[in-house]
Amino acid sequence: MTDIREITLLELLIIIWQKLKKCLCELFRFIKLTVCASVKYFWVLIASMIVFLGLGYVVSLPMFTKYRVEGVATFFTENRLALENEIRILNSLKETNSDLFNKKFNITQQQNKYLKEIRLLPVIDFLNDSVPDVIAMENNAYIMSDTVNRVVPYMVSVCFIFRGNMDYKPYMEGLVSYLDHVESLRKTDSIAKATTMSKIAFYDKEIERLERLSEYDYFQADKGGLSLDYSKKQGITIESSSKRLYYEDIKKLIKERDFLSNYASNKDHVINFMSPDMMVYSFSRIKLLSIFLIVGLAVGIVLAHCIYRRRRWR
């Protein structure tokens, strides 16, 4: 039978230190060997770095660069699902029938080659002030039902994915023109616009009615609107309790009316970009070259280490 005994904490710490010391010694020897090999065969490092730097330069050329172009657009909420469906149809049409896609988008075959994909991304409004704060990275179903990160239902970020080109103007115009010619979208857009304008007219009439009622109740002496105060010698004063109630209703109606007015404004098309300019994103060329340079250095060190050990064993 083997003798099994418990060790003390001090003995355990000594064993751990011995193992750690051995690992550190091996690591130091490896670093020393690598440095000696790198110094002795420095030309291998330089050659490897030059090769990878040249490869990084070719990869980072504009013709191979992937561009992500984004712009916020507004529309009537009733068209949201239909718009997402039309974008999926467009992406599918681009792959299956490029000639028809070019005709509908009014672009050339070369411009079609630059365009890789069109995406619609949700716009999140943290402050609930109808101003876009963050654009989601992808369009997932759970984002629309998230109660913390509120998605603006009448805004979306249109994202074009390009390779080798970042001239987005023809694609913006082509998308707006294409959606304007979709019968179902145009019909829903006109109905939603008419409904919104009728709501605004209703709010205007209601605000005017409440203002008249507030003035009528304000000057009704039989309802306590007038009071006579002898102690302060201020004469006849007008109480504003009744009018304050009407003011709260009027404020709510004005807020709703102004929101609808902004909601319906600048909607000449099915989808309306908030700005003629879009944000262009791409991976930094300097960062890409730096990554290739570091990888080239690492490969050069490995090659130098292998050559050094091979010649040493001969």
Side-chain angles (χ1 to χ4, degrees), residues 232-295:
K232 297 181 181 179
K233 297 181 180 180
Q234 292 180 350
I236 299 176
T237 58
I238 301 174
E239 296 177 0
S240 58
S241 58
S242 299
K243 193 169 185 178
R244 191 177 298 116
L245 295 175
Y246 285 111
Y247 277 168
E248 292 300 323
D249 294 334
I250 291 173
K251 283 181 181 178
K252 291 179 182 178
L253 290 175
I254 290 176
K255 185 178 180 180
E256 289 292 330
R257 183 196 61 185
D258 292 344
F259 169 77
L260 289 176
S261 298
N262 293 328
Y263 174 64
S265 63
N266 300 323
K267 283 190 170 59
D268 301 325
H269 306 281
V270 171
I271 190 170
N272 306 270
F273 285 93
M274 297 181 67
S275 172
D277 300 319
M278 302 181 75
M279 297 295 294
V280 181
Y281 304 95
S282 65
F283 195 80
S284 174
R285 194 174 188 184
I286 295 177
K287 291 181 181 179
L288 189 61
L289 290 174
S290 301
I291 291 173
F292 271 88
L293 191 62
I294 293 172
V295 172

Side-chain angles (χ1 to χ4, degrees), residues 94-120:
K94 181 183 181 303
E95 299 297 329
T96 57
N97 193 341
S98 60
D99 293 333
L100 182 59
F101 178 86
N102 298 339
K103 183 179 179 181
K104 288 180 175 293
F105 240 66
N106 194 23
I107 58 175
T108 63
Q109 183 61 31
Q110 184 62 37
Q111 289 174 324
N112 187 346
K113 291 180 180 179
Y114 293 140
L115 180 64
K116 299 304 176 183
E117 188 183 359
I118 305 174
R119 299 176 186 171
L120 293 184

Side-chain angles (χ1 to χ4, degrees), residues 49-292:
M49 292 171 65
I50 291 175
V51 170
F52 274 85
L53 190 63
L55 184 61
Y57 176 80
V58 173
V59 171
S60 64
L61 287 173
M63 62 183 300
F64 298 115
T65 302
K66 185 178 180 180
Y67 297 99
R68 181 189 180 99
V69 182
E70 292 182 357
V72 177
T74 61
F75 50 89
F76 285 103
T77 309
E78 292 82 355
N79 266 333
R80 186 178 188 96
L81 294 178
L83 280 172
E84 293 177 353
N85 186 54
E86 284 297 330
I87 295 302
R88 285 193 289 268
I89 292 173
L90 272 176
N91 287 322
S92 176
L93 183 64
K94 181 183 181 303
E95 299 297 329
T96 57
N97 193 341
S98 60
D99 293 333
L100 182 59
F101 178 86
N102 298 339
K103 183 179 179 181
K104 288 180 175 293
F105 240 66
N106 194 23
I107 58 175
T108 63
Q109 183 61 31
Q110 184 62 37
Q111 289 174 324
N112 187 346
K113 291 180 180 179
Y114 293 140
L115 180 64
K116 299 304 176 183
E117 188 183 359
I118 305 174
R119 299 176 186 171
L120 293 184
L121 302 176
V123 175
I124 299 174
D125 180 15
F126 290 121
L127 302 178
N128 197 17
D129 55 359
S130 301
V131 177
D133 296 320
V134 176
I135 295 172
M137 296 302 295
E138 54 185 348
N139 191 1
N140 290 328
Y142 74 87
I143 295 179
M144 299 301 298
S145 59
D146 193 344
T147 57
V148 178
N149 303 324
R150 181 180 179 272
V151 174
V152 184
Y154 52 89
M155 281 186 189
V156 76
S157 175
V158 181
C159 178
F160 296 105
I161 307 298
F162 298 112
R163 184 174 293 278
N165 180 45
M166 55 181 178
D167 182 17
Y168 52 83
K169 292 291 185 181
Y171 306 92
M172 283 180 67
E173 297 171 356
L175 180 62
V176 172
S177 176
Y178 168 77
L179 295 176
D180 282 345
H181 286 84
V182 178
E183 183 67 24
S184 58
L185 291 176
R186 192 171 68 249
K187 187 178 296 185
T188 306
D189 183 79
S190 60
I191 294 173
K193 187 178 295 184
T195 304
T196 304
M197 298 308 294
S198 64
K199 288 181 180 179
I200 294 173
F202 170 77
Y203 283 137
D204 286 333
K205 291 180 180 178
E206 191 66 14
I207 290 169
E208 184 180 356
R209 185 181 70 85
L210 288 177
E211 285 178 346
R212 289 199 305 267
L213 286 175
S214 67
E215 292 176 359
Y216 176 77
D217 284 354
Y218 187 64
F219 291 106
Q220 294 303 302
D222 57 339
K223 293 185 179 180
L226 302 179
S227 64
L228 191 60
D229 189 355
Y230 295 100
S231 61
K232 297 181 181 179
K233 297 181 180 180
Q234 292 180 350
I236 299 176
T237 58
I238 301 174
E239 296 177 0
S240 58
S241 58
S242 299
K243 193 169 185 178
R244 191 177 298 116
L245 295 175
Y246 285 111
Y247 277 168
E248 292 300 323
D249 294 334
I250 291 173
K251 283 181 181 178
K252 291 179 182 178
L253 290 175
I254 290 176
K255 185 178 180 180
E256 289 292 330
R257 183 196 61 185
D258 292 344
F259 169 77
L260 289 176
S261 298
N262 293 328
Y263 174 64
S265 63
N266 300 323
K267 283 190 170 59
D268 301 325
H269 306 281
V270 171
I271 190 170
N272 306 270
F273 285 93
M274 297 181 67
S275 172
D277 300 319
M278 302 181 75
M279 297 295 294
V280 181
Y281 304 95
S282 65
F283 195 80
S284 174
R285 194 174 188 184
I286 295 177
K287 291 181 181 179
L288 189 61
L289 290 174
S290 301
I291 291 173
F292 271 88

